[in-house]
Structure formats: C-alpha cells, structure tokens
Amino acid sequence: MPDVTISPKGEDRIRSGHPWVYRSDLSEVNAGRGEVVLVQGRRKAPLGHALYSDRSEIALRLLTRGHEPPTLATWRAWMDAAISYRESLGIDATAYRLIHGEADRLPGLVVDRYGDYLVLQALVQGVDRLLPDLTRLLVERLQPSGILARNDPRVRLLEGLEQTVSVLHGTVPEGIEIREGRARYVVDPYHGQKTGLFLDQRENRVAAAGYASGRALDAFSYNGGFALALAPVCSEVIAVDISDEAVRRITDNATRNGVTNVHARAMNVFDELRELERRGERFDTIVLDPPAFAKNKAAVAKALSGYKEINLRALKLLRPGGFLISCSCSYNVSESMFADVLAAAAVDARADVVVVEKRMQGRDHPVLMTVPETYYLKCFVLRKL
C-alpha cells in the first residue's frame, strides 16, 4: 500500500483526535494523487489510513486508526451509519443532509437529499477518485431517481480538481419541489447556493417561528426560508435580499404556499437597514442571516465590523420585547467573537438585550468534537428588554 510518513507534530495532531495533517508535516511520501495511504509516525509505526492529496495544504485526511485499511465494505458501513442517523432524527422535511464529511467519517464527501434525488459534492482528490464506487453504494442504499454531482465549489481548485456539474445516476430535473415543515419550495440543484438550499438553517427556521410575532423583517432572505417560516405567526414579513433573482424566488415561494403577508424587496441590506431606521420603522421580530463575511482569517476584522453594523441597526429597529435572531456562518468568526460583537452592538444601540437561546447548524450537520472547523454556524436568539 502507498505510504506517507509524518513528523512528530503531525503525529501529535492525529493522536489529539484531529484527522487532518498539513503538507508541512509530511516527512516522506510514497503515494500518488488521491490514493488511500498508510500513515506512519515515529520509527515508521503505523497510525492509520488516510486520503492523500498531492495539491492541498491539507495533505492527509484520516479515515481509520490502526493497522486495517478501509475497504469498500468499510465505506458502505460508514455511509449506512450516516444515513441511519438521519433517519432516526424524524426530520419533518424532504430535504436534509445525509452525509457531512469528517463528522460522518467520510472526509470530503457531502450528500444532500432533495425528495427522490441526491446532490453530492466530492471536495477532495480521494473522494473524487472513489466517486464511481460511492455512487453505486448510494444507489444500492437509497434507490434515488437521480444523483447530481455539484462539483463546482472553488475549494476543488485547491485540490487541483475541475469545477463541474454532472448527473451520475438517473435523471435530475432543474426544479425539485421539497417540503420543510408546512412550507414548500422549488429548489434548483444545478445553480442554487451550496447544493441548492441552505439546509443547515432548517431547525433554526423552526425555532425562530416559535419566538416570532407581529411585524417581522427577514434580512439576507435568499429564497425566503425564514420569511415563510415566520409568515403564519406574524402579521407582516418584509424579506430583503440584494438579488433580483432571490426576490423572484421569495415571491414565487410565497405564492406556492398561499402566503399573502410576505413582501420581498431587492435592496442592499446595509442600506435598507439604515433607511428603515431613518423612517422610524419598527419590528417585533428580526432575522439576520448574512452570507459568510469572513471566508479567511484576513477578512475577520472587516467581517466583525459588518456584523456589528447590521446588528446595531437591527436592535434600533426592534421594539422592546421583540426578538432578534442573528446568525453567522463564518467559521473564522468564533462563537465568542460573535457574542462580543453582539454585545458591542447592544451597547451602541443603547439597548438592554438578553440571550434567550444559542443555536448552531442543524443536527443533520453534526460537529466533530475534535475538529473545530466543523462548527461554523452560530445563531443567537436575543430579546430586547
């Protein structure tokens, strides 16, 4: 079997429970692109087996610890365990994540269900190389009508892989109707964000509806997920997104669900929040679900400024007794950093604010305890006194 010897630093990292080894911690490589390799430490002692990348700074992604290499039966068992876990959750939706990379012992593989269809992403060389076998296992386990590979994320470029979108099995339509609770959406699996929908916010949308009332504002609305969740319990929902296409989707989704109290606007959210404040408008419920402001560490300072700005404006627009559901999906902005920003925004808004609940990505997007990188979505439910 191909093998890679790593430095003491890399070995210590693996023993601490983290499955990644960086290129700088490789001492000797006898492996090719995307191969499953034996990982060796001090005095060539076997540590386990990993996927090897000859391009990425994350050179090794550990699969197993010990002497036994993974086989196709191993991959089948991991896949079955991941899918069985989702089936045990009793998810009230037809769209959710089935496989979540490292948190399911399947590094670099993402699989989402959209009704009778699957959309997957192979984000590392090793998974891309194994894709025919993994596709067969998915068909064997789930019998989907079609499987689409949304292999167009930019992260694939770091692996030396092409950005492609292709059907791997059956047929996949450009529009798939899915249900999330009582709400129904049409998802575009070929062009939508991530694999078509922000599935990681599903449980937070349900939670937000439990606090919402009165007049609501859903900022950075995308396809209106939060807006549609809030509509049944609110008198009016204003959904704001900078994209004309997003506003069209929000309007279409509202019509599909027979919702008449959701009003969508194509506006820059920063500008709209300032304009709403200038006009003296007030809301009982506000949701802030912006895109990732900090895609790397260099962008953190600017991101924190952006988060403070929108939360400051939102707290000024919020009526006493109202709820602000504020989110950050930037991994590089930690929960404590985000909490500090929210506190600073409250001080500048001269608002007394309590934390009612702290949430994260849905249970179908689990966090691996020893891999902080898998905890990326922070969601604070705040109440203004």
Side-chain angles (χ1 to χ4, degrees):
M1 171 169 279
D3 62 78
V4 174
T5 303
I6 61 176
S7 68
K9 180 180 177 182
E11 182 175 350
D12 290 343
R13 184 174 178 83
I14 284 180
R15 294 193 186 283
S16 74
H18 204 296
W20 297 352
V21 176
Y22 291 97
R23 184 159 304 280
S24 58
D25 290 318
L26 304 188
S27 302
E28 184 180 336
V29 176
N30 299 295
R33 177 187 179 93
E35 289 189 307
V36 176
V37 301
L38 172 66
V39 182
Q40 301 175 136
R42 298 174 178 89
R43 295 180 294 279
K44 301 288 185 177
L47 301 173
H49 296 81
L51 295 176
Y52 170 69
S53 171
D54 66 355
R55 288 286 297 274
S56 174
E57 284 304 305
I58 303 173
L60 296 176
R61 294 173 188 262
L62 201 68
L63 296 169
T64 63
R65 289 179 168 79
H67 296 269
E68 293 298 320
T71 64
L72 194 61
T74 310
W75 288 89
R76 180 184 289 109
W78 288 337
M79 193 173 285
D80 184 67
I83 294 168
S84 295
Y85 164 64
R86 273 60 176 196
E87 292 172 344
S88 76
L89 295 177
I91 296 172
D92 185 19
T94 59
Y96 48 89
R97 178 146 297 180
L98 289 172
I99 295 174
H100 190 53
E102 276 79 354
D104 286 305
R105 293 183 295 187
L106 294 159
L109 177 64
V110 168
V111 182
D112 290 334
R113 176 191 285 280
Y114 290 98
D116 293 330
Y117 304 92
L118 304 180
V119 183
L120 65 77
Q121 293 179 324
L123 302 176
V124 299
Q125 290 178 2
V127 170
D128 196 68
R129 182 170 176 157
L130 289 167
L131 206 47
D133 288 333
L134 298 178
T135 300
R136 284 194 293 272
L137 291 177
L138 287 168
V139 172
E140 173 188 306
R141 177 64 168 78
L142 298 166
Q143 293 87 49
S145 296
I147 301 178
L148 180 71
R150 269 295 298 273
N151 285 333
D152 54 351
R154 289 186 58 82
V155 68
R156 277 177 58 96
L157 299 178
L158 301 178
E159 294 276 340
L161 299 171
E162 293 182 0
Q163 292 176 286
T164 61
V165 178
S166 60
V167 175
L168 303 179
H169 167 75
T171 59
V172 180
E174 292 192 1
I176 304 172
E177 182 171 294
I178 61 96
R179 179 186 60 80
E180 187 177 282
R182 292 177 293 180
R184 295 183 178 275
Y185 309 92
V186 170
V187 177
D188 180 354
Y190 289 84
H191 306 101
Q193 293 287 338
K194 294 194 173 182
T195 61
L197 196 65
F198 289 106
L199 299 174
D200 50 9
Q201 285 281 29
R202 187 190 65 259
E203 294 180 358
N204 294 331
R205 289 190 276 266
V206 174
Y211 294 104
S213 65
R215 191 172 188 234
L217 173 66
D218 176 20
F220 307 97
S221 191
Y222 181 51
N223 70 336
F226 275 103
L228 290 180
L230 302 184
V233 294
C234 291
S235 57
E236 178 188 27
V237 183
I238 305 298
V240 182
D241 197 282
I242 196 171
S243 164
D244 289 324
E245 175 62 22
V247 168
R248 183 191 65 76
R249 284 195 303 268
I250 296 166
T251 303
D252 288 349
N253 284 330
T255 301
R256 181 177 304 277
N257 287 274
V259 172
T260 59
N261 62 339
V262 171
H263 307 290
R265 301 176 183 174
M267 297 288 294
N268 178 294
V269 172
F270 286 84
D271 294 340
E272 181 68 356
L273 290 174
R274 285 190 288 267
E275 177 61 18
L276 290 170
E277 182 187 348
R278 187 190 67 78
R279 295 203 303 259
E281 299 204 32
R282 293 294 179 265
F283 297 88
D284 303 284
T285 309
I286 298 177
V287 176
L288 298 177
D289 183 25
F293 284 169
K295 293 186 182 297
N296 53 56
K297 290 182 179 179
V300 168
K302 186 176 180 180
L304 295 177
S305 176
Y307 285 126
K308 182 179 178 183
E309 168 71 10
I310 60 175
N311 282 281
L312 167 61
R313 300 296 172 188
L315 287 171
K316 288 186 175 182
L317 292 170
L318 193 64
R319 289 192 180 105
F323 289 92
L324 168 62
I325 296 91
S326 187
C327 307
S328 167
C329 61
S330 300
Y331 158 69
N332 290 292
V333 174
S334 68
E335 180 183 306
S336 61
M337 294 165 67
F338 190 48
D340 287 344
V341 163
L342 295 175
V347 170
D348 287 359
R350 298 182 180 179
D352 291 320
V353 176
V354 295
V355 178
V356 176
E357 189 177 355
K358 290 196 292 186
R359 302 184 58 84
M360 56 192 289
Q361 63 247 41
R363 292 169 297 161
D364 52 335
H365 294 64
V367 172
L368 191 59
M369 284 293 291
T370 53
V371 185
E373 291 85 351
T374 59
Y375 176 31
Y376 64 94
L377 178 58
K378 282 76 62 178
C379 176
F380 279 68
V381 180
L382 308 176
R383 181 172 178 267
K384 182 177 179 180
L385 300 181

